[in-house]
Amino acid sequence: MASIAPGTFATIRVGEMGKMVYPPPNPKIQIAVHPKAIPRSGKATPLTTAVHFDNDGLVDWVGSIDERMFDVQGSSANSPRCKIQERLFTGSSCWNIFSPGLLIQEKFGDPYLTVYGGGRPWISVGELSNGLILVVPLNDSRGNPKPYAP
């Protein structure tokens, strides 16, 4: 559960960008986590969802990253979640399964909350403005006979 409000602008720290296997084109991002992912009370975890926009204001990167990897850079604007929604179910790779592997370069270890890295399969749910695919992880079924579930 994240703690930084949707719409907040942030910058990924330079040292952190170099650790990411799939970093955004530049470190300027906007938080796009769902508001209900921020707990009203209780313990927050540092995982949040962020987007990067190209020069035309189109989404060209989406990632769920650890809030410890960036610095907040000012006030909030409207949540960019609707911009992610525009990219859903677009492109020719929808519903294909992918294995992105590790999300943090192996030489750095993984002190961050990137539980969806490694051997977990991901499914394509759209295409971004730059032609890259928008993928989401499949979860462990935990007791269900299927190995992974949406």
Side-chain angles (χ1 to χ4, degrees), residues 50-146:
V51 299
H52 180 273
F53 295 98
D54 66 15
N55 291 335
D56 296 322
L58 301 172
V59 175
D60 64 359
W61 181 89
V62 177
S64 288
I65 60 175
D66 194 305
E67 289 180 343
R68 296 173 290 182
M69 297 177 83
F70 58 82
D71 296 312
V72 172
Q73 294 296 310
S75 62
S76 297
N78 291 333
S79 173
R81 290 183 65 78
C82 62
K83 296 292 187 180
I84 297 172
Q85 182 181 352
E86 292 172 1
R87 305 311 312 164
L88 292 175
F89 314 120
T90 61
S92 60
S93 294
C94 266
W95 310 120
N96 288 334
I97 301 293
F98 295 90
S99 179
L102 296 174
L103 303 177
I104 299 293
Q105 292 185 39
E106 190 172 9
K107 66 182 177 180
F108 293 110
D110 192 0
Y112 302 109
L113 187 60
T114 57
V115 296
Y116 295 111
R120 181 181 304 270
W122 294 52
I123 189 167
S124 173
V125 294
E127 188 174 286
L128 303 176
S129 64
N130 55 5
L132 294 177
I133 55 174
L134 178 61
V135 295
V136 296
L138 294 176
N139 291 321
D140 292 329
S141 60
R142 306 211 186 226
N144 188 318
K146 295 179 284 187

